[in-house]
Amino acid sequence: MTAVTIPQMPMIPKSLGLNVVAIDIDPDTLDIKSHETIPWSPETKVLVFSHVFGSRVDLTSLHSLCKSRGVLLVSDEAECYSPHSQPLLPCDVTLRSHGLIKNYTAISGATAHINDPRLLLKFRAVHGTWRVSSSSSYRLKILKSSLLIILSNPTVYGLVLKFLSLLSLSHDSLITSLLRGFPGPTFLSRIKQRPCPQIVSSVLRLSLVYTNFESPSKRKINSVYLNSLLPSKSLLGTKVSEHNHWLHPYIPPSKSELVSKGLKYNFDITGGATQLVCIDSECVEAERFMKGVVYLPVSEEMGKEEIGRLAEVCKGKGRKGGYEVGKVFWGAAAVGVTVVWVRWGVLRSLVTSIVVNLWMLIKIGAVLFGGLTYYVGRISRRNYERKGKSKLLKHLKTGAKVTPELRIQEPESPQEENIILTGATGFIGRVMLHTLLQHSTQLNIKNVYVVLRSKKDKVASQRGAELLTSSIYSGLSTSIVTILQGDVSLPNLGLKSRPSTKITKVIHLAASVSFTQPLKDAYACNTRSTLNVVELCKSLEAKLCHFSTAFIHNDAKVYKQDLGKGWDAKAVQKSIETDCHYASKLLKSYPNTYSFSKHLTEKLLSLPGTSPKIPPLIIRPSIVGPSILHPTPNFSGSKGTTVTAGSAYYLSSLGSSVWHLPPNKASVVPVDLLVYYSLNKLFFENAEGTFNACFEKGVEGFEWEGFLEVNSEIGCLGGKDRGRVVLQEEVLCRTFSEEGGNDVEYYHDLYPVFLYNLRLTYLKLTNASKQTLDRFKKVRNFVDLPMLFMPFTKREFEFETDFKYSIEGEMYMVNCARAGSKFVGFNDEYKNVNVTDSRWSDLFWCLTMPVGNFWIRLVGFALVKILRMTTANVTVDVESFSDYARSASPDSKLILCPTHRSLFDFMIVSFITFSLPELKIYNPFIIADNQFSKLPLIGTICKGSGAIFIERGKGSKGVERAVKQVMCQRPVEVFIEGTRSRDRRFLKPKTGFLRAMLEVGGERDYDMLPINISYERTPEQETMASEMNVGQKKGLGIGGLVSWGWNVLSGKVKLGRVHVTAGSVVNMSKKSNLNHVAKQVQQQQMTGVRVSGYHVKALQQSLGIDEEVIKTSLEDLKVPFWEGDCKLKAPQSKNERWTLSLAVAHAVAPHVKSQEWADWLCSSRLPPPRNTSESVDAFVQAWERAFERAEHAVETAIEKLVKVGFEVDGLKVEHVLGYVEDRVGRPIEEEAVKIVLARQKRESRRVAQEQEPNAGEALAKSGAPIPTGQEEAFGAWGFADSKFVLDGKTVTLHSDRYSLGHRRLPKLVDFLEKEMKTKIDLARSVYPLPERVRVTPSRLPPAIKEGLMALFGVECVKTEDVERVRHGTGHCLSDVLKIRTNEVKRAPDVVVYVTSQDTVVELVKFAKSQRLCLIPFGGGTNVTEALQCPSYDVEPRCIVSVDMRRMNKIIWVNKEDGVAKIEAGATGRTIQEELAQMGLTMGHQPDSYEFSTLGGWVATRASGMLKNKYGNIEDIVREVVVVDGSGEIMWQHHKEEDQGKSFGRGSFGMPELKDLVIGSEGNLCIVTSCVVRVRKVPEKTEFSSVVFNDFGAGLGFMRAVQSSGLKPASIRMMDNAQFKLGQVFKGSEGGSGLKKVVQGAALWWKGIETSSMVAVTLKFEGSAIEVDAQQKAVSAATKDWGGLAGGGENGKAGYELTFAIAYLRDFALSFGLLAESFETFVNYSKLNVMVECVKQRVREAHVERGVCGEALVSARVTQLYEDGACVYFYYIMDSSGLKDGNRTFSEIEEIARGTILENGGNLSHHHGVGKHRAKFVKERVGGSVVDVMRGVKKEIDGDNVFGVRNGVFE
Ligand SMILES: Cc1cc2nc3c(=O)[nH]c(=O)nc-3n(C[C@H](O)[C@H](O)[C@H](O)COP(=O)(O)OP(=O)(O)OC[C@H]3O[C@@H](n4cnc5c(N)ncnc54)[C@H](O)[C@@H]3O)c2cc1C
């Protein structure tokens, strides 16, 4: 070791037991003086050369010297800090740092470059076993380094120096001690740590960055310049060719003096900054200069002058300057502080006041807002509860009803009628004219003369023309109408000429219905004009029909028809025409001048002088309201009646209406009733006298207060914020006071007008739309109407009348309100109420809605935002809910039954009930799947908003519990289809939950409200379409939701329109037929389905027919069409188009001829209509064509499959779909496969029954069926219906069995090519499956065959080649290759399927007597060539393969003791399934468990993945029952009857039978059954995963978990290559962009590099306590070893990947990629080294043999023990170009096995040896042990009946 280095350096070799010898160095060259001076010894192992003070010494000659002596040369270049790009000096190991020691190395330390590959391998292996330093140490380093970088700034540094000198502290020692950290005693343990991942990654980054650093040339120049100024004697390294001084070494006369002088002159001259020391005082030169050296600060920034000053200081002179920064700084700091201090006062108060005030404002605002919403919310709720059922909703759809029917009765002998009509432009006048025209023929009316005056520049004819062109007269003949210019206020009505025809009747309607008119004006309009009309009638001798008012009396209790005597009319008339004195007095007891003038008129008409000749008819209506039926429903004229106007006022000014109306019955009469009544009186009855045309006691059900409520509801449905309506109703509205009742002026100005103007101003200021302003202005004249109306509303009236009509008051109230809304221009449409309209404040809105708890409000708030962002609008057909409002019974429980097409459905229905309280449906309980409850936060929100979770598959208990919870008043939401329809078809309804409700609910009745939610696009549409491709549903996950949320925010989610509509209520009770009920509900839902252009487009693309045809047929099929949102992205794929097209499946279904397809389209379809249109036929035929095409494509695919050897019975949907070429679209194809397969199976059964009536019998004899071989693939691993398929470059596992099935893997080929550095030729088929199996023919003598058949039955004896070959092979590469290349040299001559222990005994005895060799066959899954037959020269006897798989029963189970006896031929799958039914598990789960058998496990000494919990097979098996070579049953110390005795551990002075049999590989006996340990199915199963930066850290973690004593049932670690493969297996759905970003960020934060990271997957099983404890232990170890948790989903995926890998190997074979796995056990101390060595050695062997590309070798640690672990290797080789790829592969595999053994690994951990590794056994176990075993064999099987010859039994 060179003498100058850091003091701790010698400790390292010393700790390894090496001696340290220091070598002196030359102060000029800083190199070893002469190589001769090196004290070499034979034991010299390493030479450590330190390049000090930034020097870089050439080591070329020293390196060759070391090499020649076998000494390792370590070059410590840490201080050279030269850019990375500089070539390394020649040496074996280089230590380097990247950047200035002071700063960057503080973060990362240094790196070691190991040039020798073998050394590197060993180093890595050792290094890998060290513990990882904690990430907190990294953070500390970051902090320190940041401080140092700040400190490097001269100003700051100057300040620190000054500060330290003020405190009389030595900056030198303080800073030095802080800078470098090589602590004393803990030094060794500290460096024997691996840096935590963050450090590793920062070193990597730094080394890359540092490569780009420019060489600090300026500093070099400065350094050279300084050298020139100083005496050369006092300088070090003057002869070094290359140096990089960052601190200039200099030897002054006095070290301490120069340091303090430096400080004085502001130079940071230090003595120990580098911490270099001379390690041995014997080295004179080094000792000398190290004692006196100081370091002069030379930086890039220094100019020549500065350097000169430094040199002067060194020479003992010195002048101040340069780093006077300290001083300057102090001065500047003082000034700065003063300035800031002075200013800060102002600034501070300003900032403080802003912050404080803002905060205060926020707080006040929050309190006010909170208080306001609380207050409004409470009132809103109170109102909601008080009001009961919504009147509006109830009557939205009802057609108006009047009894008796409205009709004009014909007079017996109708005379010719010519009528004069006044007031025809008024409200009643228009209806009167309409009715006259309508019934003109009936009434024999020849002419109607309408008297009109000129008005606003329009003459009568113009006004008349306008009148007659109004829409109500369209369709009526107006030819009998003549417009007469006139004026009722004038004598003779101002008529220029009278009509030429004889006038028979005059109907006088002209009046002024103003309640504020001065008396004189009212007299003129109402009385004088009537007197003029009377005069005219007199002269024409016509009958007068005069319209008065029912409120003609002053304060009577009952308003009689007879006026009574009362006052003197003539006197009153006189008074009005003069001073009004008398009249005014009388007026006071009348409500207004209108009723007074009408009273006066009537009185005058009864007086002799003023009465008409013909007794007149006087009709007295009460308040005239809009029509019910005629001329149109809700007709209210052009100006609005008083009722309409009031309603309009209230509606348009919901924010400023000011009057409460009292709860009195309204005396209103519909205009059409009035007119019909009057005309019947006039024409039919020819009545004379006075008649009250109104209801006797007002309208039943029509109350003024209720009328206002209906108006508010209309307003809210029209988009008014309910909160605001409530607020203004509460705060602003006044109840009328009797006192102020008539003081119109006072109220008018003070209150309503003021508020009206205020609101108008607000609307103007807030830029309200023109429509709103117009609407508002239109009601200006009505602001005080409610007040003027007060005399008619403040009390209830009673009239004497013969009015016989009756109407439903509530309904009429809704009519009036709707007329009002129409009048004011509101959209009177309740079919499309938009619930996402923008509001003043969504927050206020959601907080003030009447119903809903905190969560519901929160969800409401979030939803309104989300819906606005994602949808064009969400509309509700409020009208469709009116059936429910009418028919639902208050005692029944309401069940909302929405369609289920999206996860949105859950929210949409609740949202609607929340945002439309007018529906009067309380927020429902939602029955949801339990998986929602597991989503963090979402679960809580769902629960809070009323979700009740049921766990599927947990039987009826869960449902019952849920039902009990929902049995309160709140409605419940149930999806009748149970699950979400994934293609919009209506699914078969499910009745389970309904049944449970009926059972729990007793005698209760239920109202089921069908709801349809139509989406243009569902949020899941694309996912569903892609799920169809891969054939599996994605689970719910928070990740998916988060990324969906992100897409919403970024505006990527566009759903178009959403529409909700309800159907008619379906009743359900205990007596109901549930299937019928469910069907009815579904049919109601169907009526609500709507489609848009978007769907039509999809239909057009799917069916290939014209859009117009589709539209017309949809119309004919009664599927409502929507306008839709034109901005939607067109459907992308066929699947997606079908999911859209199937929205109309229910409408098409009844017309489709094929029953199967019709059922599929819609199982609860309606019967087909009798007549259809042409377009419907064309439409349906297009559907049928698609079905036929799909069926045809499927039939062709099945044919193909049958041709290659499949049987129709074994085919699965996925399988067939993989072969379909003519693609129609997944949903249709899938069904086509089912239909065709079912059809073909039916057909083949029928044929079979006809041909072999007794076919079933032979099988019936035995328990299990003979394995047909069809389930299992031949020549490849796994099930026949599961295999990888290539499509372009995308690989897909076609399988329904695995979660990975159907996932597209577009990157797999690229991954292999990249990792193996090869190009895979996807077109070539190197090892295809053989078209025909060829093997040496069976040599079984016919007699023996017959003997076997006689003994075991024909069906149990097989000699077909396929059977023989399969039974002579297992699943190792050589087996599979042999099958594929038809190179199986010898196969068993016959296969016998044994069915019981007795048949085994019989077979063995038969074999013994006939000299046959028996080879037991389990599942044939071994990977050791164990089933390969010995060659004829070794084994001349015929070979019988004994297939055990029909012996697959569980014989008995003793649950109490946890033991079971199981037949040896049972496969893992069977055992697992059957035990699970009893709630038990054996817990043995090798990756082959689907096919391998219990006997096979015993024979091979297998180990399963859950070994940590359940143990290996030897731990699980308690006893074995075997049949030996002479056919004897051996069962140690038990008989079958001993079932009650103990089966467990015993000590018998000898090994137990099972110990001999476990691992015997078919050499000794046949295992017929085993007693095994069984346990209860674990209470809890969880998965987890963790990633680590590298293999060593992962292993450290695994060991930590092992030593915690809390290891999970399974813990496996995949190395980096396997981890990457796992990522590739995530396929195209490998997580959303956001998820990847988050994952990337987490890895970055943890410093985990993807290029080295490894993944550990974990499976926890056991009780909740056990699992929790294990999870805690795992978390602690994760933290300790710098891991990052990867979640349960990844953990699960990791385990599932194992199953796919087995398929992958055989798939890759087709392209010439040979692969195999081999495993071993190794102690921990050797594990890392062994893994590295095997990998390295395989790679080398690969290269040595010239194999194409690179070897892909990866390792996985699978089973853990206290002392070591099981390691699996996977090796893949590209065989292209090789003559004999298989041989090369075997050679390399053997080399790998050798390397394993060399490095301390075992021959095998659990696969065994078979013939594959037989040659290694003897050496591993020792000859004598082998001899003992052979002796045992002789005893058990003396005749070698079991001559399989595995392992040592050659
Ligand atoms: C994809 C895959 C994954 C695997 N994963 C695992 C794993 O996780 N753990 C593991 O331990 N192994 C694993 N293996 C290896 C293999 O599955 C095991 O060795 C298994 O125990 C073999 O059982 P088997 O029933 O298929 O026996 P076979 O392959 O049929 O026979 C194996 C040997 O046992 C003898 N034998 C079979 N049955 C009896 C009997 N009743 N009496 C006497 N001798 C008998 C046979 O003669 C033969 O010598 C895997 C293999 C594959 C292909």
Side-chain angles (χ1 to χ4, degrees), residues 391-392 651 705-715 810 813-814 817-818:
K391 295 177 184 74
L392 173 68
L651 273 166
E705 192 184 38
F707 182 52
L708 283 194
E709 277 170 25
V710 172
N711 278 315
S712 320
E713 282 186 330
I714 289 184
E810 260 187 19
M813 194 161 70
V814 171
R818 289 181 75 169

Side-chain angles (χ1 to χ4, degrees), residues 1394 1396-1404 1444 1447 1523 1566 1568:
V1394 285
S1396 64
Q1397 186 165 275
D1398 294 344
T1399 52
V1400 176
V1401 170
E1402 244 174 287
L1403 180 61
V1404 176
M1444 301 293 295
M1447 288 184 64
V1523 175
I1566 292 185
T1568 56

Side-chain angles (χ1 to χ4, degrees), residues 1277 1371 1415-1423 1426-1427 1444 1464 1485-1488 1491-1493 1495-1497 1499-1504 1561-1562 1565-1567 1702 1768 1806-1807 1844 1846:
W1277 169 255
H1371 270 288
I1415 300 183
F1417 180 94
T1421 67
N1422 72 83
V1423 283
L1427 289 170
M1444 301 293 295
Q1485 209 186 82
D1487 292 348
S1488 60
F1491 295 98
S1492 53
T1493 61
W1497 299 337
T1500 55
R1501 208 176 156 81
S1503 172
E1561 296 192 344
C1565 54
I1566 292 185
V1567 182
Y1768 252 86
H1806 57 262
H1807 282 162
V1844 65
N1846 285 328

Side-chain angles (χ1 to χ4, degrees), residues 305-409:
E305 199 202 339
E306 201 73 0
I307 302 271
R309 262 184 358 91
L310 177 61
E312 278 179 30
V313 172
C314 293
K315 286 181 196 154
K317 298 172 200 161
R319 57 191 158 87
K320 293 216 172 178
Y323 281 113
E324 296 253 29
V325 278
K327 198 172 166 191
V328 174
F329 184 86
W330 279 118
V335 174
V337 167
T338 321
V339 170
V340 172
W341 188 246
V342 174
R343 294 269 165 109
W344 178 234
V346 183
L347 207 67
R348 190 179 43 188
S349 49
L350 200 70
V351 171
T352 317
S353 82
I354 290 173
V355 171
V356 170
N357 288 330
L358 206 68
W359 181 230
M360 283 292 289
L361 279 176
I362 291 171
K363 277 208 290 197
I364 293 169
V367 169
L368 287 179
F369 189 77
L372 188 67
T373 52
Y374 175 73
Y375 171 67
V376 177
R378 271 190 48 186
I379 307 167
S380 167
R381 191 184 178 91
R382 208 175 56 219
N383 286 351
Y384 175 82
E385 275 159 10
R386 181 169 54 83
K387 284 176 187 167
K389 266 195 180 173
S390 159
K391 295 177 184 74
L392 173 68
L393 197 65
K394 225 163 117 187
H395 301 292
L396 270 181
K397 246 166 81 176
T398 22
K401 272 192 208 121
V402 182
T403 48
E405 204 186 322
L406 275 189
R407 60 193 183 95
I408 304 277
Q409 282 179 298

